Amino acid sequence: MLRSLFLAAAGSSRIGRLVESAPVSRGIVQRFVAGHSADEVLQVSRELADDGLAVSLDHLGEDTRTIEQAVAARDEYLSVVGRLKGAGLTPAVEVSVKLSALGQRMDEKLAYEHARAICAAAAEAGTTVTLDAEDHGSTDATLETLVELRRDFPSTGAALQAHLRRTEGDCRELSTAGSRVRLCKGAYAEPESVAFQSALDVDKSFVRCLNILMSGEGYPMVATHDPRLIAIAEDRARWFDRSTSEYEFQMLYGVRAEEQSRLVGSGHTVRVYLPYGAEWYGYVMRRLADRPANMAFLARAVTSRN
Ligand SMILES: Cc1cc2nc3c(=O)[nH]c(=O)nc-3n(C[C@H](O)[C@H](O)[C@H](O)COP(=O)(O)OP(=O)(O)OC[C@H]3O[C@@H](n4cnc5c(N)ncnc54)[C@H](O)[C@@H]3O)c2cc1C
């Protein structure tokens, strides 16, 4: 119930203004977001890389409504990717991209062209791009774009969401040689017709998808903080005879840092999803919705501020 409320709030600009103006928001944002500028995110990337972690940078922003915003999002990516090599941060640092930030909802071809330019810059810098998964209405378009991008940039990866009923099939399609798939539970509110609704059903789907990816020929990127699913992923890797260089774990910046270190200590690659930029609202609200304790904390802080 609280989760749905917060996911609905993630799309509301009125609630956005209220949360953005609440004094408590600053601390919450700092927990999940590396900063506003490229300088700040490169600095945090350096610190994470020094701790043995890999990184996927994300420039915050989604659902752009004008061509100018979409071009600005592309240019920010081109600029930050252009700085990675000189900073000695590749290949440890890759980038995550939301096609809706690049104009997908206005013009799919435009978003593809923008993503293509970012993939070319990433290849030049010696790193890769992963396409984030957004709401289910965009899944087909995103996976079609992935196929196009992989013709010239075969290491381009994509996120799949275990809560969608279609995802087992998508895992089968994508568990081929050279393919990189990030498996996550799914952070968007989705209707029963397309998505499992209970946590148990989502977890069961996650395990079925994990079995397909771990037994396939691609490179699974297991994006979860859930201790049970992490243990199952390690178990499946042993089962299917994968060494620790043949899959990776991914976690969000600000969540379960000790577990990230533990996994690195046991020889795993752990990639931290590291967002930066001013458009933090939708992203941070989804992080609050991930965990009821976070939500109750924010609700108390916002409602008691006067
Ligand atoms: C690297 C990465 C990339 C992702 N990319 C996408 C994407 O492209 N599209 C998409 O829809 N979703 C994406 N997600 C989000 C994902 O779908 C889930 O919403 C989120 O990861 C929470 O699910 P969980 O698997 O960690 O399990 P949960 O059951 O939600 O969490 C397990 C435990 O982890 C801890 N935890 C989890 N989240 C938080 C939090 N925010 N704050 C504090 N503790 C927390 C808690 O201890 C919790 O009990 C991504 C997640 C990761 C890690």
Side-chain angles (χ1 to χ4, degrees), residues 3 31-32 131-134 159 161 182 184-188 203 206 223-227 229 250-252 254-256 271 273 286-288 290-291 294:
R3 180 171 190 268
R31 171 175 173 189
F32 294 113
L131 304 180
D132 282 347
E134 301 182 66
Q161 298 153 316
R182 174 201 298 159
C184 63
K185 288 190 183 181
Y188 295 77
D203 288 359
F206 196 107
T224 183
H225 316 92
D226 187 327
L229 293 177
Q250 298 194 345
M251 295 193 199
L252 302 174
V255 181
R256 301 205 68 203
R271 190 173 301 278
Y273 186 97
R286 287 195 293 278
R287 298 297 67 82
L288 296 176
D290 282 338
R291 190 161 178 257
N294 291 345

Side-chain angles (χ1 to χ4, degrees), residues 8-21 281 302 305:
S12 159
S13 53
R14 242 180 82 221
I15 301 180
R17 283 193 295 277
L18 178 67
V19 174
E20 276 171 350
S21 64
Y281 175 68
V302 171
R305 76 195 181 101

Side-chain angles (χ1 to χ4, degrees), residues 3 25 31 40 45 53 59 62 84 95 102 104 110 116 119 138 151 168 193 198 208 211 216 220 222 245 292 297:
R3 180 171 190 268
S25 299
R31 171 175 173 189
E40 286 167 291
S45 298
L53 292 153
H59 180 248
E62 52 198 85
L84 289 176
V95 291
L102 301 181
Q104 188 186 49
L110 179 81
R116 198 183 147 74
C119 287
S138 63
R151 286 190 219 285
E168 257 184 274
S193 54
S198 77
R208 290 193 298 274
N211 289 342
V222 185
S245 65
F297 175 61

Side-chain angles (χ1 to χ4, degrees), residues 147-261:
V147 170
E148 292 296 315
L149 292 171
R150 288 195 66 215
R151 286 190 219 285
D152 287 329
F153 307 103
S155 62
T156 309
L160 295 179
Q161 298 153 316
H163 73 169
L164 294 185
R165 297 178 192 277
R166 60 176 286 163
T167 296
E168 257 184 274
D170 291 332
C171 285
R172 263 187 215 100
E173 287 274 309
L174 288 177
S175 65
T176 52
S179 153
R180 295 165 63 250
V181 176
R182 174 201 298 159
L183 180 65
C184 63
K185 288 190 183 181
Y188 295 77
E190 299 285 12
E192 222 248 319
S193 54
V194 298
F196 300 109
Q197 303 293 308
S198 77
L200 180 62
D201 284 339
V202 174
D203 288 359
K204 284 186 192 164
S205 169
F206 196 107
V207 174
R208 290 193 298 274
C209 293
L210 202 49
N211 289 342
I212 295 166
L213 296 175
M214 284 288 190
S215 61
E217 292 182 55
Y219 180 76
M221 303 186 282
V222 185
T224 183
H225 316 92
D226 187 327
R228 281 179 58 219
L229 293 177
I230 291 169
I232 292 171
E234 291 185 271
D235 179 65
R236 295 306 189 268
R238 277 191 295 274
W239 227 14
F240 294 113
D241 223 12
R242 277 181 184 263
S243 71
T244 49
S245 65
E246 292 172 309
Y247 67 103
E248 69 183 43
F249 286 107
Q250 298 194 345
M251 295 193 199
L252 302 174
Y253 179 65
V255 181
R256 301 205 68 203
E258 280 174 21
E259 178 64 1
Q260 296 172 15
S261 306

Side-chain angles (χ1 to χ4, degrees), residues 87-109:
L89 287 170
T90 54
V93 180
E94 64 138 43
V95 291
S96 285
V97 167
K98 281 187 177 51
L99 289 174
S100 79
L102 301 181
Q104 188 186 49
R105 293 202 214 281
M106 291 176 290
D107 180 347
E108 284 173 19
K109 180 103 191 333

